[in-house]
Amino acid sequence: MNKRFIVIVLDGFGMGAMKDAKIQRPGDEVSTTFGSILKTYPDLKLPNLEKLGLMNAYGKESKNMHFSNQAVFGKSELMHFGADTFMGHQEIMGTKPKKPLAIPFQEKVDEIAEHLLQANHDVEIKTNGKLRYLLVDHYCTVADNIDADLGMAYNCTAPLDQMPFEKELEIARLVREIATVNRVIVFGGTGNTIEDILAAEETRGSDYIGIHAVKSKSYEQGYQCLHLGYGVDKNVQVPTILTKAGIPVSLFGKVADIVANDEGKSVSCVDTSDVLDLTIAELSNMDYGFICTNVQETDLAGHSQNVEWYKDLLVIADKKIGLILEKLNENDILLVMADHGNDPLIGHNKHTRENVPLLIYKKGHAPCSIGLRHTLSDVGASVCDYFHVEAPQNGTSFLPEISK
């Protein structure tokens, strides 16, 4: 039987603040990523997302976009603490989130430096006032991730023309052996230099110092990335469960960097057109299986506080989603969603704690609302339910609700 479940994650595409945002992330209670885009571009038209129920999920219409009378839609809260791409995707794949420790790099800098020295790496300590971070083997910085929730991740950043990714990854794995934060993120690109990276140094408050990822020019060409997580069990997640059952799994975009898929296909890609073209091509090759694609550039636009870029990316994604819809058969399910918000007008460059859309399409399904879900893991549970395999660790399938 031809049967696919396709999940498209528009990274950072929030639908308005969660009810606990004021407590968990003061300031985020006014966040509304999609609302900020519509405020700036009231004439925006996204016909395919509109058809799927974008405005239904948002809860109100705009000048050029209206409620769909054929939509299966809902929204989801985030169960994980804060608003994080890595934990968001672990949650989507069925992991029950645990609250991570927030530890400024300053508390670990000496221990990590000593660990790297013992492994025969050259370590230079860079300073900005009282704040310190590391430059390892002349080309790899190790510092706070200042583009996400502070204290939750450390970044290893290197120019890949000057340091191969494999060597950078070796450094990052040593950092991971000491660090107890949620993630150690190792990434870099080609065409930039260590001078570009050092020039992107920024501080946050009195305790955090790191490299602004976009300003480092790492994303511009030759981008490679891997997220080294802490305490995540791949065996309770959708890709591993499906693979053990003999069901093909393909991950495209940033999800390939952050979700374990040991026996499946994982292709890292940043460009919005390219990553969705990979998805379209896979639909021509895969008759049966699961596809998850992350559109990362929307998140980068939010981090850059660039509303115009964000809008342009949504237009591109909408057109490509239209092409995906044309390739679906009567057994396929398409789900378009997000992992958190990233309001470009909120006044900071971090993620925002927002509800996210769940836009579901299957030929012949009657229109309905699946309401407000309390965890992104309901997606993973629905994927496993669809393929009749064991459920992941967390989540409740919404398939019975849309099959009535």
Side-chain angles (χ1 to χ4, degrees):
M1 176 188 292
N2 290 356
K3 178 176 178 178
R4 287 91 49 104
F5 199 122
I6 306 101
V7 174
I8 307 293
V9 182
L10 299 177
D11 203 316
F13 189 50
M15 292 275 111
M18 283 180 54
K19 58 181 179 289
D20 68 355
K22 186 174 183 178
I23 297 171
Q24 276 213 28
R25 296 166 63 90
D28 277 10
E29 66 271 16
V30 297
S31 60
T32 171
T33 301
F34 185 44
S36 290
I37 295 163
L38 285 177
K39 178 181 178 181
T40 309
Y41 296 99
D43 294 332
L44 178 63
K45 181 72 170 177
L46 303 168
N48 293 299
L49 290 171
E50 179 185 16
K51 173 185 174 182
L52 293 178
L54 176 62
M55 307 315 290
N56 305 62
Y58 183 54
K60 53 186 174 183
E61 300 180 315
S62 68
K63 179 180 178 181
N64 284 337
M65 290 190 286
H66 307 286
F67 298 137
S68 170
N69 61 9
Q70 54 186 310
V72 180
F73 69 95
K75 291 194 292 188
S76 180
E77 297 176 323
L78 318 179
M79 181 178 281
H80 69 271
F81 180 80
D84 183 72
T85 295
F86 179 82
M87 284 310 301
H89 282 73
Q90 309 312 314
E91 187 179 339
I92 290 169
M93 296 301 170
T95 293
K96 187 172 184 179
K98 298 178 181 178
K99 185 175 179 179
L101 297 174
I103 304 174
F105 188 68
Q106 303 310 298
E107 296 184 17
K108 290 288 186 178
V109 61
D110 293 316
E111 188 178 359
I112 290 172
E114 180 60 28
H115 192 56
L116 289 164
L117 285 168
Q118 289 179 359
N120 297 316
H121 289 277
D122 182 89
V123 179
E124 177 186 351
I125 296 180
K126 309 289 287 186
T127 61
N128 183 333
K130 69 170 187 174
L131 298 178
R132 300 175 296 158
Y133 66 100
L134 305 180
L135 180 63
V136 183
D137 294 341
H138 310 292
Y139 295 114
C140 178
T141 59
V142 185
D144 289 299
N145 181 326
I146 57 170
D147 296 314
D149 287 348
L150 296 173
M152 299 292 186
Y154 303 153
N155 282 0
C156 297
T157 314
L160 300 185
D161 291 324
Q162 298 172 300
M163 174 179 282
F165 186 73
E166 292 74 18
K167 183 172 182 180
E168 186 189 11
L169 181 57
E170 175 188 322
I171 294 167
R173 291 194 189 283
L174 289 168
V175 174
R176 176 76 283 176
E177 289 177 4
I178 300 300
T180 54
V181 291
N182 188 319
R183 285 178 290 163
V184 172
I185 308 170
V186 49
F187 68 93
T190 59
N192 63 340
T193 66
I194 187 59
E195 289 75 22
D196 293 321
I197 291 171
L198 294 174
E201 171 196 309
E202 292 187 5
T203 61
R204 296 284 184 271
S206 59
D207 295 322
Y208 300 93
I209 186 169
I211 305 300
H212 190 292
V214 174
K215 292 179 181 178
S216 74
K217 303 182 181 179
S218 298
Y219 293 113
E220 294 183 4
Q221 65 182 52
Y223 180 71
Q224 293 188 63
C225 178
L226 189 66
H227 291 238
L228 306 178
Y230 182 75
V232 174
D233 182 3
K234 65 183 180 182
N235 294 304
V236 300
Q237 296 186 324
V238 170
T240 301
I241 293 170
L242 293 182
T243 299
K244 286 181 177 178
I247 299 166
V249 175
S250 295
L251 306 181
F252 299 111
K254 189 172 183 177
V255 64
D257 302 329
I258 59 181
V259 170
N261 185 30
D262 295 344
E263 304 299 325
K265 178 186 292 187
S266 293
V267 182
S268 181
C269 182
V270 177
D271 182 84
T272 298
S273 289
D274 290 348
V275 75
L276 290 170
D277 283 342
L278 285 169
T279 308
I280 293 166
E282 190 70 351
L283 286 170
S284 297
N285 297 323
M286 176 192 280
D287 293 329
Y288 183 76
F290 172 60
I291 300 172
C292 184
T293 297
N294 174 281
V295 178
Q296 183 183 358
E297 283 192 303
T298 44
D299 191 49
L300 298 180
H303 284 311
S304 301
Q305 300 173 278
N306 189 327
V307 188
E308 182 179 11
W309 185 22
Y310 206 132
K311 178 263 299 181
D312 291 343
L313 293 168
L314 288 176
V315 171
I316 293 169
D318 184 80
K319 290 179 181 178
K320 299 293 185 179
I321 288 169
L323 297 177
I324 291 171
L325 287 168
E326 293 175 3
K327 287 187 166 289
L328 302 184
N329 63 50
E330 64 277 4
N331 297 312
D332 295 332
I333 291 180
L334 171 67
L335 169 62
V336 180
M337 62 179 301
D339 50 350
H340 51 72
N342 200 337
D343 189 337
L345 298 183
I346 195 68
H348 60 68
N349 73 328
K350 296 186 297 182
H351 296 157
T352 42
R353 187 166 174 79
E354 298 183 51
N355 297 313
V356 301
L358 299 173
L359 311 179
I360 306 160
Y361 177 80
K362 186 176 187 296
K363 289 184 178 180
H365 269 190
C368 71
S369 169
I370 61 169
L372 179 65
R373 318 300 292 195
H374 298 303
T375 173
L376 303 174
S377 292
D378 287 2
V379 173
S382 300
V383 172
C384 288
D385 186 14
Y386 176 75
F387 287 107
H388 306 294
V389 296
E390 65 177 291
Q393 181 185 53
N394 191 39
T396 303
S397 173
F398 50 67
L399 292 192
E401 298 177 45
I402 67 176
S403 300
K404 294 177 181 177

